Amino acid sequence: EKLKEFTVKNMFPLSQKVKAHFLREKIADVVTQIALREWPQRWPKLLPMLFQIAGIKPERGQQNGGAMGGWLGLTLLMIIRNLAAQIIAFDPNVPEKRCREIQEGLKASMGPISFLIASILKYHLQSTSTSETNVRKRAIGLSIESIGAVVDWVDPVFIYGTTPNEGKTINNDGVLELVFSAFNMGDFCVSASGILTTICMKNTMTKYNPILYKLWAPMLNTNETLLKTKITDVERRSLLLQAVISPLNKLMRNHVDLIVEGGGDSNKKMRFKFLNLTLQLLNHDLISIARRGIEMCMHLLRYKWNKVVDSEWRENLAVKIFDACLKQNTRRSWKSMSSEYGTEKDHHHAFAGLRSQLHVLMENLVRLHPPLVVNHLVCGYLKLLHSMQQQQQQQFEALLENFTSGTEHVVRAIPKKSQNDQKVLSSLGNLLRGLLAAKNLKSSTRCFQYVTLGLLHPLYQVNQDAITAALKTLLEGVQYRTPNQAKIPADHLDKDTMICRRRALDSLIKITKRHRSNLARSFKVLSQMVQSIMKKGHGWVRDEEKMSLIECLMPISNEIPNAEQVNFIKFIIVDPLKRFDHHATTLFKDVKSFVQATGLPSLKTLHDASCRKIRQEIWWALDLLRGLIRHTLIASKQTRSVERGYADTALGRDKNEEKSSSSSSLPYIPEHLRGVIRHLLSKERIRALMLLTGCTNRALDPSISSKLPPQVQASLKETREMMEEALRKLLAKDQIQQHQYQKQQLIVREMHTWFRTVRACAYVLLGYAAKYVPQDLFPVAMDGGLLGQTAFGSLKTMPSIYLKVVTDQLLPNLLKYFPLTNKGQIVAFQRLLGSIFHGIFSRLGQGWAQCAARLNQQQQQQQQTQGGRAGCDDRKEAAAASSSAVDEIREVSTLTDVQRSFVHCISTLLCVPMGISGIRSVRNTFYPPTATSGAKNLLDEGKTGETKRIKEQQTNPHVPSKEQIQRSNMVLELIITDRNLLNLTMAIFMALMIWPDSPSSVNACTFVLRFVPPMIKSAVARQNTGHLMIKVFQTSLEVLERLRKELEEATHGAHMGLLKEMYEILVPLGLDGLRKLLQQIPGIPPQEIINLEKTIINEPGDKNKRRAFKRFLTRYVVGLKSNAGRVFAVRDLPEGFISTCNEIKARRKKGTNDTDTNDNLGDAFEWLFDR
């Protein structure tokens, strides 16, 4: 104790003698470290002793000028600042409990500390000595830092100096006015603003309204003074403005009542002064300052707008705010010398944030004053259009873009109750007339005119003439071209003209989709205008633009009578589909003709104009068909709720028709719309689509694609990335010259996009046909097995992403809606199902085997690399290994996606749900009900005594209907009756259990369980299928043996549920092979199997049976061969089950012995593919 006291008493006074300031900092640091360890618990007199040495006596209220201006007082202030800063920082070297103790000690000593801080700050603020300027700045800065360290938790009396209730003064006068004095000094503005901002955010401020009210005036004066001050340094200017505005912003946001609800003339003056300052901030040229002004305006609009001023002045203020928003909304270029952001990218990002805030502010203004703001916007827009000739083109375009974006947000924010307001509609009508009257606009500015025409929706809702005039102007804009481009084909127009035409089309689509009911009366006129445009020739309007024009008319056509709609569709599709049908009869007969016509044999033919024309015509026809059918289905969904209630009267559908549609399980759409789809997808066109898919699949076959040039082979790759990578490899091998690379890259990209899109469109259309017009599809499909030879041809060699298109678009609808009404259809379905299953199964097995071989090769390369080989060859091998790793990840990912899509198709076919709940759903839906399981068979009639309420509660949209269950039973029967198909199906299920994808393994267990009831319904069936049940049971056991414990909980549960159900059902029926499989597992006592069977027989509840079987399998089966089994990736785990890779490693390490080595992936995959 004496040593500590001796050290402090002799070291602390040295701060008065030393001349270097850093030595005083060191002395303060030493005393601070002693205080951190000893004060206040062990040495409570430390702080009073330091005050005594410094000559400061706060208990008498005595202010010694020499002490306040000397270095001892400043060093004491450094110590207090360091201690207070320690509380804020929570240094990890100091325990949190110790920080709390220091904070309590500072609170207890706050009287002397506040006296010290206030006295030193006041002394130096009043000092006029010029010889000690550095000391004065250092003292004021140190005082401000000390206040900032304690202001967040100190008693409010320290800040304000007056108790809120008694109104009497205490020893100190408070530091708020002193801090504000420092705030008005340029050197300490930033640091003092942080203190003021913290004070303004505290809730205790409401008790000190009289004091705070006095601060409004000087704070506003400071802001106005700084805004008028010219500072050339942009960064310094921005920093000062941010510092000055921040306290005012927080004060207004947290205590806006002070300025809004105060009385008296002085408060009115201050209120107008504040609003004027807010407008100045909103108009400021610095983006960061303007955003602060927006925040303050937003707060006023949301909370106290109606109390700020009277109604007349409030409207004037709203107009001024809106003018400021329009001014700031104009795009501004980046200038390195005058911008507050260092790079152009940062400037654009900041301006984008400013614009988004401005749009929100404008929308709030519109909600408060709709007619006023809309009228003001329209007046400004029209004034700009009238002054077009008097402004520079670049400036005019910037202003026009500004008003266009403002119009979009203003019109969108008009409240519904104000959309029929006559003032609003009159203003929008004036804007429409001004836009229509604008002539001689350039291409770059005309696009803004077309965009604005597509925004005036409230006017179009009530004015038929307005919407008709706007559509006519937009239709003219679709075919717009400058006079010097009269003879130029549409594909060779300049960029500005193409953008202009695109904007006109976008606005057309917006208007027709939103106002289709109003346009139904003008449909004939509009369709004639569109038809006249399309008849002008191929060079006048592009195919994409024709498709967009038809897309504009389709929503309106759904509102006209059925006969007129059919005639319209027939007319608009006659030309493109006629050309498509012609190509189908000549080009789709064989793959050789298809390859020659589309230009695949060489790069020269790819560039050929005739080949490109054929490709465009095929693409446009398919895209047109897809678009028309999509809009027809959208119309069906829109009218479905109405037609369900008025089906018999509105559409003339009788009850027999309703029964026939429900019995065939076809999706419901109105009959006239189904007739539209039937007309679009006729039998001849369906045949053409099948032939087209066959040609594209054959072109992908290695026997044909290998004969094509390398660049053409690259265009047939599965993804854009793979195509680009193949081109880069050809460039690296000098098979492509550098100067030809860009030109060849463009044509290869074009061919790649065309091939993928055309093939996908064909499969989508065939899927539509299978779902909505199966009576036309399946006769064509069964004609000589055409569908299996074309759309499902080459499944064994098809690339995985192209295969996923088949499993996503066509296969689910085909399996779900294939008619099974006669023997011929059933035989055809069996053959088709067998060929599809065999092809996809072979492709997936081949893909997983290649992944296993690639993985084994990588392991061998790693072992050779670790054997000591080094040098340049190692870097090349590392690069090759990295490339192969990317290929492996890509292949595994696509194979997994295809496998899951295939599983979804099987789930649709068997009518079973997917996921871990599938086993229980199958058990409750398709198995006979028992007294203990609680299962309900939906094919049985409702039980007697059930009330209507219980029956309604049992209706679940996710539960299959009786018709769906009957179809599923029929599908199972035809699979089981064909032994080869049954063996193939069970092989697929067992492979799905084994292959490395957890969801597929779970769903495979559900599929197997669905087959159990029909396979055991008779003794003959059990005899023929018993060996398959044993194989499935053995496979599931092997999967559990290779699963690690605590991982793959979903897979554990699925396989345990499957094994329990099979054992409980099949062993009592005499299938002893399942018992023998359990007896062959090493380590299982025979008595355990006997006890398990007794539990299954005697337990009345299904829950106890599942628990007993799970306990048995977990003890003797799960993880038995986990070191040589399959290895799962993180994505295979249930979502949220494991959060980090470290946790995965820890769990895996915990599940294996400490002597085990790393996972042998080769052994895992060897087991996957040796079956």
Side-chain angles (χ1 to χ4, degrees):
E1 296 293 333
K2 292 182 179 180
L3 178 60
K4 292 184 292 184
E5 187 173 351
F6 175 80
T7 302
V8 173
K9 283 186 177 181
N10 287 275
M11 181 177 292
F12 180 64
L14 290 177
S15 59
Q16 185 73 24
K17 300 179 181 179
V18 296
K19 296 182 179 181
H21 183 67
F22 76 91
L23 292 176
R24 298 187 190 94
E25 291 280 359
K26 293 296 182 181
I27 293 172
D29 289 341
V30 171
V31 178
T32 301
Q33 293 300 320
I34 294 174
L36 285 175
R37 290 160 176 78
E38 303 295 333
W39 182 80
Q41 275 73 19
R42 298 180 184 176
W43 195 0
K45 297 182 179 180
L46 173 61
L47 205 58
M49 183 181 69
L50 293 176
F51 271 89
Q52 183 180 1
I53 296 173
I56 300 173
K57 301 178 181 179
E59 65 276 359
R60 299 180 183 178
Q62 180 181 353
Q63 296 186 6
N64 185 353
M68 297 306 166
W71 286 112
L72 285 175
L74 296 182
T75 307
L76 177 57
L77 198 56
M78 291 181 198
I79 296 170
I80 295 173
R81 178 201 62 184
N82 295 343
L83 288 173
Q86 182 66 47
I87 298 172
I88 299 175
F90 283 108
D91 191 343
N93 297 323
V94 181
E96 184 178 351
K97 181 181 178 182
R98 182 70 188 128
C99 292
R100 300 296 182 193
E101 293 174 353
I102 296 172
Q103 185 180 18
E104 294 299 325
L106 288 175
K107 285 183 178 180
S109 306
M110 206 61 219
I113 292 174
S114 61
F115 176 81
L116 172 68
I117 296 174
S119 300
I120 291 178
L121 183 56
K122 187 174 183 180
Y123 174 81
H124 287 283
L125 285 174
Q126 294 175 353
S127 176
T128 58
S129 175
T130 58
S131 59
E132 298 181 354
T133 305
N134 293 333
V135 177
R136 179 169 175 265
K137 288 184 178 180
R138 214 166 256 166
I140 296 175
L142 187 60
S143 302
I144 295 296
E145 291 175 6
S146 302
I147 297 173
V150 302
V151 69
D152 197 36
W153 49 265
V154 76
D155 191 279
V157 175
F158 168 70
I159 300 172
Y160 301 102
T162 303
T163 57
N165 298 323
E166 300 176 5
K168 61 183 181 180
T169 59
I170 52 177
N171 289 340
N172 66 305
D173 295 331
V175 298
L176 182 58
E177 294 186 4
L178 298 175
V179 171
F180 207 87
S181 299
F183 176 72
N184 290 323
M185 300 174 64
D187 295 331
F188 308 104
C189 178
V190 176
S191 55
S193 68
I195 299 174
L196 293 176
T197 303
T198 305
I199 292 173
C200 294
M201 294 174 62
K202 294 176 72 66
N203 294 328
T204 55
M205 288 176 52
T206 54
K207 302 177 182 179
Y208 299 90
N209 284 350
I211 300 175
L212 289 172
Y213 184 74
K214 296 178 181 179
L215 295 180
W216 274 100
M219 195 176 290
L220 290 171
N221 291 333
T222 304
N223 279 271
E224 288 184 343
T225 302
L226 188 57
L227 285 173
K228 295 177 182 178
T229 305
K230 293 183 179 181
I231 303 176
T232 55
D233 188 352
V234 179
E235 185 176 358
R236 173 67 177 169
R237 179 188 177 203
S238 175
L239 183 63
L240 284 175
L241 284 171
Q242 289 278 14
V244 170
I245 296 168
S246 182
L248 184 64
N249 188 12
K250 295 299 180 183
L251 186 61
M252 189 274 296
R253 289 179 64 87
N254 292 278
H255 305 280
V256 70
D257 297 341
L258 292 178
I259 191 170
V260 172
E261 299 179 357
D265 294 337
S266 59
N267 188 52
K268 278 188 177 182
K269 294 179 181 179
M270 201 180 304
R271 187 183 306 167
F272 288 118
K273 200 171 186 179
F274 167 74
L275 296 174
N276 183 42
L277 177 63
T278 304
L279 288 175
Q280 291 185 48
L281 297 177
L282 187 58
N283 283 287
H284 206 275
D285 57 336
L286 293 180
I287 294 178
S288 57
I289 306 304
R291 296 182 73 169
R292 288 299 182 94
I294 294 173
E295 293 174 5
M296 297 169 71
C297 290
M298 289 288 295
H299 192 76
L300 278 177
L301 290 176
R302 287 178 177 175
Y303 300 105
K304 298 292 182 179
W305 181 247
N306 293 329
K307 296 183 179 180
V308 174
V309 287
D310 55 18
S311 58
E312 182 179 355
W313 212 92
R314 194 159 48 239
E315 291 181 356
N316 294 332
L317 181 61
V319 170
K320 291 182 179 181
I321 293 176
F322 189 76
D323 287 337
C325 291
L326 288 177
K327 174 188 172 183
Q328 295 287 12
N329 195 46
T330 307
R331 290 190 181 277
R332 58 183 75 179
S333 59
W334 176 76
K335 298 178 182 179
S336 58
M337 299 300 296
S338 60
S339 177
E340 57 183 319
Y341 300 99
T343 62
E344 187 175 4
K345 182 179 180 181
D346 293 339
H347 169 79
H348 289 319
H349 285 174
F351 181 72
L354 173 68
R355 262 202 161 182
S356 62
Q357 287 182 309
L358 287 170
H359 293 157
V360 175
L361 180 57
M362 286 192 288
E363 290 175 0
N364 283 332
L365 278 173
V366 174
R367 294 186 182 99
L368 293 170
H369 306 282
L372 178 69
V373 175
V374 173
N375 181 60
H376 192 70
L377 172 70
V378 170
C379 291
Y381 207 138
L382 295 177
K383 184 178 179 181
L384 176 64
L385 292 176
H386 291 319
S387 63
M388 175 177 55
Q389 305 297 335
Q390 304 173 5
Q391 300 187 22
Q392 297 180 357
Q393 181 66 22
Q394 186 176 2
Q395 182 183 5
F396 177 71
E397 289 180 6
L399 293 174
L400 196 59
E401 190 268 341
N402 172 24
F403 274 93
T404 302
S405 64
T407 304
E408 178 183 1
H409 292 276
V410 166
V411 174
R412 185 174 61 186
I414 297 175
K416 287 187 177 180
K417 61 181 181 180
S418 301
Q419 289 183 358
N420 293 327
D421 188 283
Q422 291 300 319
K423 294 182 180 180
V424 173
L425 296 177
S426 177
S427 299
L428 295 179
N430 293 334
L431 178 58
L432 177 62
R433 283 189 289 271
L435 291 171
L436 297 178
K439 303 295 181 182
N440 302 324
L441 294 176
K442 294 186 178 181
S443 301
S444 55
T445 56
R446 191 180 290 267
C447 61
F448 297 115
Q449 176 193 17
Y450 295 148
V451 171
T452 309
L453 286 174
L455 300 174
L456 310 181
H457 298 298
L459 179 63
Y460 300 151
Q461 193 70 32
V462 297
N463 194 321
Q464 186 70 26
D465 296 334
I467 191 172
T468 304
L471 288 180
K472 289 181 179 179
T473 305
L474 292 173
L475 287 173
E476 293 175 359
V478 174
Q479 45 188 333
Y480 167 76
R481 54 180 66 201
T482 57
N484 57 352
Q485 296 175 342
K487 297 182 179 180
I488 298 178
D491 294 329
H492 297 84
L493 295 174
D494 60 84
K495 183 179 179 181
D496 289 339
T497 304
M498 298 297 292
I499 293 175
C500 183
R501 296 168 76 132
R502 182 67 255 176
R503 295 293 182 269
L505 279 172
D506 292 341
S507 296
L508 269 175
I509 294 172
K510 286 181 182 178
I511 294 175
T512 53
K513 284 185 177 180
R514 190 160 181 172
H515 307 283
R516 53 182 177 271
S517 300
N518 295 345
L519 292 171
R521 291 177 292 176
S522 307
F523 178 75
K524 187 175 181 180
V525 178
L526 293 175
S527 61
Q528 290 176 356
M529 295 176 65
V530 171
Q531 292 165 14
S532 64
I533 295 173
M534 298 176 67
K535 288 179 179 178
K536 288 187 177 181
H538 178 72
W540 191 258
V541 181
R542 296 184 303 160
D543 289 342
E544 295 85 353
E545 294 168 345
K546 292 181 180 179
M547 183 62 201
S548 298
L549 288 173
I550 296 173
E551 186 178 356
C552 295
L553 293 178
M554 281 305 299
I556 313 173
S557 68
N558 295 325
E559 303 292 332
I560 63 177
N562 303 343
E564 294 183 16
Q565 182 184 17
V566 173
N567 293 333
F568 163 71
I569 292 177
K570 288 180 179 180
F571 179 79
I572 62 173
I573 66 175
V574 62
D575 183 48
L577 292 189
K578 184 178 180 180
R579 284 180 278 172
F580 175 78
D581 295 339
H582 173 71
H583 294 321
T585 56
T586 56
L587 306 180
F588 300 164
K589 290 183 177 181
D590 55 80
V591 67
K592 184 177 179 180
S593 302
F594 174 78
V595 169
Q596 292 290 340
T598 54
L600 288 175
S602 66
L603 285 175
K604 184 178 180 181
T605 54
L606 280 180
H607 282 282
D608 186 69
S610 60
C611 295
R612 298 184 73 175
K613 182 179 179 182
I614 291 174
R615 294 200 299 267
Q616 288 179 356
E617 290 175 350
I618 295 173
W619 187 354
W620 185 40
L622 294 178
D623 200 16
L624 175 62
L625 283 173
R626 184 174 61 174
L628 291 174
I629 295 176
R630 184 176 69 248
H631 281 288
T632 303
L633 297 178
I634 291 174
S636 172
K637 293 178 181 178
Q638 292 169 349
T639 58
R640 181 171 183 176
S641 59
V642 178
E643 291 176 356
R644 279 299 187 186
Y646 304 99
D648 297 338
T649 58
L651 296 179
R653 298 169 62 249
D654 56 11
K655 296 181 179 180
N656 295 329
E657 184 181 353
E658 181 72 25
K659 290 181 180 180
S660 64
S661 63
S662 62
S663 62
S664 62
S665 300
L666 293 178
Y668 170 78
I669 60 174
E671 192 60 30
H672 75 283
L673 295 180
R674 192 183 298 274
V676 172
I677 299 177
R678 187 179 295 116
H679 175 76
L680 296 174
L681 295 176
S682 60
K683 292 184 178 180
E684 294 76 12
R685 205 157 290 130
I686 291 174
R687 180 182 295 274
L689 291 172
M690 292 182 185
L691 294 174
L692 177 59
T693 56
C695 291
T696 55
N697 292 335
R698 287 294 308 279
L700 294 171
D701 193 273
S703 61
I704 295 178
S705 61
S706 60
K707 300 177 182 179
L708 301 176
Q711 294 89 333
V712 180
Q713 294 182 26
S715 68
L716 301 181
K717 292 293 184 180
E718 302 171 62
T719 63
R720 180 73 171 265
E721 292 78 10
M722 297 172 67
M723 181 266 294
E724 298 283 358
E725 184 179 351
L727 286 179
R728 285 193 294 269
K729 289 181 179 179
L730 293 176
L731 180 64
K733 295 178 181 178
D734 296 331
Q735 295 187 17
I736 300 178
Q737 299 298 324
Q738 183 68 40
H739 65 279
Q740 298 178 348
Y741 176 70
Q742 187 174 5
K743 183 178 180 181
Q744 294 185 10
Q745 186 184 35
L746 293 176
I747 191 63
V748 170
R749 283 179 179 176
E750 177 186 325
M751 186 63 198
H752 173 76
T753 305
W754 178 85
F755 188 83
R756 291 193 62 190
T757 307
V758 165
R759 186 177 181 277
C761 284
Y763 275 104
V764 169
L765 292 172
L766 287 177
Y768 283 150
K771 186 174 183 179
Y772 298 105
V773 286
Q775 66 275 16
D776 295 336
L777 171 74
F778 294 112
V780 179
M782 292 184 294
D783 185 11
L786 180 62
L787 185 63
Q789 297 173 6
T790 55
F792 296 104
S794 307
L795 289 177
K796 298 180 181 179
T797 59
M798 190 177 295
S800 52
I801 292 182
Y802 287 126
L803 180 60
K804 190 174 184 300
V805 175
V806 180
T807 56
D808 279 345
Q809 304 297 338
L810 175 58
L811 189 55
N813 292 332
L814 180 71
L815 298 179
K816 186 174 182 179
Y817 299 108
F818 197 105
L820 301 174
T821 56
N822 54 55
K823 184 176 180 181
Q825 292 175 347
I826 292 176
V827 173
F829 184 71
Q830 283 180 324
R831 294 175 180 174
L832 182 63
L833 194 64
S835 63
I836 294 173
F837 277 14
H838 184 262
I840 298 178
F841 179 48
S842 302
R843 176 64 184 89
L844 290 174
Q846 180 185 3
W848 288 121
Q850 290 175 355
C851 291
R854 191 182 296 114
L855 185 59
N856 291 332
Q857 184 179 1
Q858 291 178 4
Q859 288 182 343
Q860 293 175 2
Q861 291 177 355
Q862 291 177 358
Q863 293 174 359
Q864 292 176 0
T865 304
Q866 295 173 359
R869 294 168 53 186
C872 181
D873 293 338
D874 288 344
R875 290 192 293 270
K876 292 182 178 179
E877 290 180 1
S882 176
S883 177
S884 62
V886 173
D887 294 338
E888 179 193 353
I889 293 173
R890 183 187 298 157
E891 180 66 17
V892 169
S893 177
T894 53
L895 280 175
T896 303
D897 292 340
V898 173
Q899 181 172 314
R900 293 182 180 180
S901 179
F902 181 48
V903 168
H904 173 70
C905 295
I906 299 176
S907 173
T908 303
L909 176 67
L910 302 180
C911 196
V912 296
M914 299 177 64
I916 186 61
S917 62
I919 291 180
R920 181 61 60 86
S921 299
V922 169
R923 182 68 178 82
N924 291 340
T925 304
F926 298 101
Y927 280 45
T930 62
T932 58
S933 66
K936 295 181 177 64
N937 192 338
L938 298 181
L939 290 178
D940 296 339
E941 295 295 332
K943 298 179 181 179
T944 58
E946 282 186 332
T947 63
K948 181 180 180 181
R949 182 178 62 84
I950 296 177
K951 289 183 179 180
E952 290 179 353
Q953 286 180 349
Q954 291 179 357
T955 303
N956 189 338
H958 302 287
V959 175
S961 63
K962 294 182 179 181
E963 293 79 11
Q964 292 173 332
I965 295 176
Q966 289 174 351
R967 178 181 173 84
S968 175
N969 292 336
M970 187 183 302
V971 170
L972 262 67
E973 289 290 341
L974 64 89
I975 292 177
I976 293 174
T977 54
D978 189 336
R979 180 172 297 182
N980 293 330
L981 183 56
L982 178 61
N983 292 335
L984 174 62
T985 305
M986 287 299 151
I988 291 174
F989 294 163
M990 288 185 283
L992 292 175
M993 292 180 184
I994 299 170
W995 283 341
D997 180 54
S998 178
S1000 300
S1001 183
V1002 171
N1003 292 314
C1005 297
T1006 306
F1007 299 156
V1008 171
L1009 198 61
R1010 176 68 180 91
F1011 271 80
V1012 171
M1015 293 175 68
I1016 63 171
K1017 64 181 181 180
S1018 65
V1020 178
R1022 290 196 297 272
Q1023 183 178 1
N1024 295 333
T1025 60
H1027 65 286
L1028 290 176
M1029 293 291 99
I1030 294 174
K1031 287 184 179 180
V1032 170
F1033 194 86
Q1034 181 183 4
T1035 303
S1036 184
L1037 283 175
E1038 292 178 351
V1039 170
L1040 285 178
E1041 288 176 354
R1042 287 160 174 82
L1043 285 175
R1044 291 180 175 86
K1045 294 183 179 181
E1046 301 184 9
L1047 286 176
E1048 291 294 336
E1049 290 187 342
T1051 312
H1052 280 131
H1055 284 277
M1056 288 179 180
L1058 173 65
L1059 293 174
K1060 178 259 176 188
E1061 295 292 344
M1062 293 182 67
Y1063 200 87
E1064 180 184 4
I1065 295 172
L1066 298 179
V1067 171
L1069 295 177
L1071 197 61
D1072 295 333
L1074 306 186
R1075 184 186 295 114
K1076 294 179 181 179
L1077 288 175
L1078 292 181
Q1079 293 172 352
Q1080 293 173 3
I1081 299 176
I1084 299 181
Q1087 188 62 33
E1088 285 289 333
I1089 300 178
I1090 297 174
N1091 295 336
L1092 177 65
E1093 293 181 355
K1094 288 183 179 179
T1095 302
I1096 293 176
I1097 295 173
N1098 298 327
E1099 281 291 340
D1102 188 65
K1103 184 176 181 180
N1104 293 331
K1105 296 179 183 180
R1106 294 199 311 270
R1107 185 178 299 169
F1109 214 86
K1110 179 179 180 180
R1111 187 165 48 246
F1112 172 81
L1113 293 175
T1114 304
R1115 182 181 302 174
Y1116 297 109
V1117 179
V1118 177
L1120 187 64
K1121 301 178 182 178
S1122 61
N1123 295 329
R1126 75 187 226 168
V1127 181
F1128 293 96
V1130 180
R1131 59 183 172 79
D1132 296 321
L1133 300 174
E1135 185 177 358
F1137 182 67
I1138 293 179
S1139 57
T1140 61
C1141 294
N1142 294 330
E1143 192 174 352
I1144 294 176
K1145 294 178 181 178
R1147 288 172 180 261
R1148 286 182 174 176
K1149 190 173 182 180
K1150 184 178 179 181
T1152 56
N1153 298 327
D1154 295 335
T1155 58
D1156 292 337
T1157 58
N1158 293 332
D1159 301 329
N1160 191 342
L1161 299 180
D1163 294 342
F1165 277 99
E1166 181 182 356
W1167 176 72
L1168 291 176
F1169 301 106
D1170 64 357
R1171 305 183 62 79

